[in-house]
Amino acid sequence: MVEVHGVCPDRLASVREAFTANFDAGQELGARFCLVERGEVVVDLWAGHADRARTRPFDAATLTPVFSTTKAIAAILIARLVEAGRLDYAQPVAEVWPDFAQAGKAGITVEQVMSHQAGLSGFPEAMDPALWFDWDAICAKLAALAPLWPPGSASGYHPITYGYLAGEIFRRVDGRTMGTALREDLAAPLNLDLWIGLPDDQHGRVADLQRPSALAKFGAPNPALAAAFQTAWSSPAGRGQAEWRRIEIPSANGHATALGLARLMGALANGGWLEGEMVLAPALIAELSRERIRGQDLVLPYEMSWGAGVMRNETVHPWGPGAETFGHSGWGGSCAFADPETGLAGAYVMNRQSADLLGDPRARRLIEAAYGSR
């Protein structure tokens, strides 16, 4: 039986039981789950190994790649610019990024980009996948790219391009990269173990990944899906793992602990407050999570409800019963969510990846146990 570490009160014993059961069923290598209730960390559990050889324990200092769960952090950074009056969700992207107006994109708004409506889910024409490591080159290609569907007519998940689009909007307004702003404005002041772009001195803390044994199941083939996921150049490749960790891709290469993610999302479930600091005002939390589009996504095989960079729980329900709950999932199973109705927030990270695109069963069991114990 796995040795589970951390804290879990008796009233939430079913969460610990579900966490242990995931390991006993052979579904985990290493994992951590954290639950925050009205600003207080009430559950923080970890167990297993940080490496495939099972020689290194998965502990409280272990960092895990969280892939698209990073998008929730990027969405919060954009929302903070909106709160400061430096950006407006309704304004055209081209107002802050003039070159973006090319190829019929002059009218695309910030909120359309953030809610995956811009028609830029990937590059349909062949390119060297190592080009993703060149921020300016990718942004120039996105500025020149014609939308793959009429912007605003549907959502089509932007798995990698989202990070460059949101990140370049942020950089044009703020002057800093998202990774720098995260570190300076949130992570360092609030002691959040969250990174977009990981310094070399942190690489030794990162858990090894055990890749999924099956492929993800998508819907019917279409150009948006092909560009997003199904080409040889749809994701970064051609550089070593260390280079991947160093670069900043705010859609895909965040590194985090479950505690860091849960505390950040816990602020959004708690009126915006974290350790006496306002992360985001309640009005902006509501605006961030407000539905921008609902319907069958062109890339993900689900009916989705998108806020301004966050998945809304209302259609797919990966995070408990709340209709107002929002968050994001990442490739392999990670997730982070906030439920302003109950003040509950949480995060799950792991290094044995599954092929589930949304609502990994391991995380679902933990979250359902938490809600069932309330």
Side-chain angles (χ1 to χ4, degrees):
M1 180 175 289
V2 68
E3 183 178 0
V4 176
H5 305 271
V7 296
C8 182
D10 290 344
R11 67 183 178 88
L12 292 166
S14 61
V15 177
R16 186 185 184 98
E17 291 167 2
F19 188 77
T20 302
N22 284 342
F23 278 90
D24 290 345
Q27 297 175 339
E28 300 283 24
L29 176 59
R32 189 173 184 182
F33 179 66
C34 188
L35 197 67
V36 174
E37 188 172 31
R38 304 205 180 279
E40 178 187 356
V41 178
V42 291
V43 173
D44 186 12
L45 298 173
W46 62 88
H49 295 89
D51 62 334
R52 292 185 296 274
R54 300 177 184 260
T55 61
R56 184 160 56 101
F58 193 110
D59 59 26
T62 300
L63 284 172
T64 310
V66 296
F67 297 98
S68 287
T69 300
T70 313
K71 291 181 174 72
I73 302 173
I76 292 168
L77 291 169
I78 289 289
R80 285 168 59 89
L81 287 184
V82 175
E83 180 178 28
R86 303 172 69 189
L87 187 68
D88 192 292
Y89 283 126
Q91 77 182 103
V93 173
E95 287 187 3
V96 300
W97 181 1
D99 286 350
F100 189 79
Q102 297 176 70
K105 302 195 301 299
I108 294 177
T109 64
V110 173
E111 66 185 353
Q112 286 176 327
V113 164
M114 299 303 291
S115 55
H116 302 268
Q117 299 183 64
L120 306 172
S121 59
F123 296 107
E125 301 299 325
M127 70 177 202
D128 182 350
L131 194 65
W132 289 104
F133 292 86
D134 185 335
W135 181 273
D136 290 339
I138 290 295
C139 288
K141 284 181 67 67
L142 286 169
L145 185 63
L148 298 175
W149 66 90
S153 64
S155 71
Y157 184 54
H158 293 42
I160 307 295
T161 55
Y162 168 100
Y164 294 85
L165 294 166
E168 185 66 4
I169 291 168
F170 186 92
R171 189 185 68 83
R172 297 260 175 165
V173 174
D174 183 85
R176 297 174 294 171
T177 66
M178 278 188 161
T180 298
L182 171 64
R183 186 168 60 252
E184 294 178 350
D185 298 349
L186 294 173
L190 297 171
N191 193 29
L192 298 171
D193 207 351
L194 304 174
W195 308 81
I196 300 175
L198 192 67
D200 285 9
D201 63 3
Q202 302 295 318
H203 289 197
R205 300 169 54 204
V206 180
D208 296 339
L209 296 177
Q210 183 175 330
R211 305 287 184 177
S213 57
L215 296 175
K217 295 180 180 179
F218 292 99
N222 67 76
L225 170 59
F229 281 113
Q230 296 176 334
T231 69
W233 58 89
S234 61
S235 61
R239 301 283 179 89
Q241 189 176 71
E243 184 68 14
W244 162 258
R245 290 175 180 166
R246 286 186 200 111
I247 63 170
E248 295 185 22
I249 304 180
S251 51
N253 83 325
H255 290 75
T257 63
L259 178 62
L261 286 169
R263 289 181 63 229
L264 179 61
M265 299 304 285
L268 304 192
N270 189 43
W273 291 99
L274 177 59
E275 305 294 341
E277 298 290 335
M278 178 64 75
V279 171
L280 198 62
L284 260 296
I285 297 171
E287 185 66 4
L288 165 67
S289 60
R290 177 175 64 82
E291 184 174 86
R292 296 326 200 276
I293 190 167
R294 177 192 296 228
Q296 177 59 52
D297 194 85
L298 297 178
V299 173
L300 297 175
Y302 308 110
E303 178 183 337
M304 297 295 296
S305 173
W306 288 106
V310 291
M311 298 173 167
R312 301 178 75 250
N313 202 45
E314 197 169 350
T315 54
V316 185
H317 288 283
W319 308 302
E324 300 303 316
T325 302
F326 60 91
H328 219 287
S329 293
W331 178 51
S334 68
C335 69
F337 70 93
D339 180 355
E341 290 182 291
T342 64
L344 202 64
Y348 166 76
V349 302
M350 76 299 123
N351 60 342
R352 180 173 183 173
Q353 297 183 292
S354 77
D356 296 279
L357 290 168
L358 181 60
D360 186 289
R362 297 168 296 181
R364 276 186 183 270
R365 284 192 284 271
L366 296 166
I367 295 166
E368 287 169 3
Y371 276 94
S373 299
R374 291 176 56 81

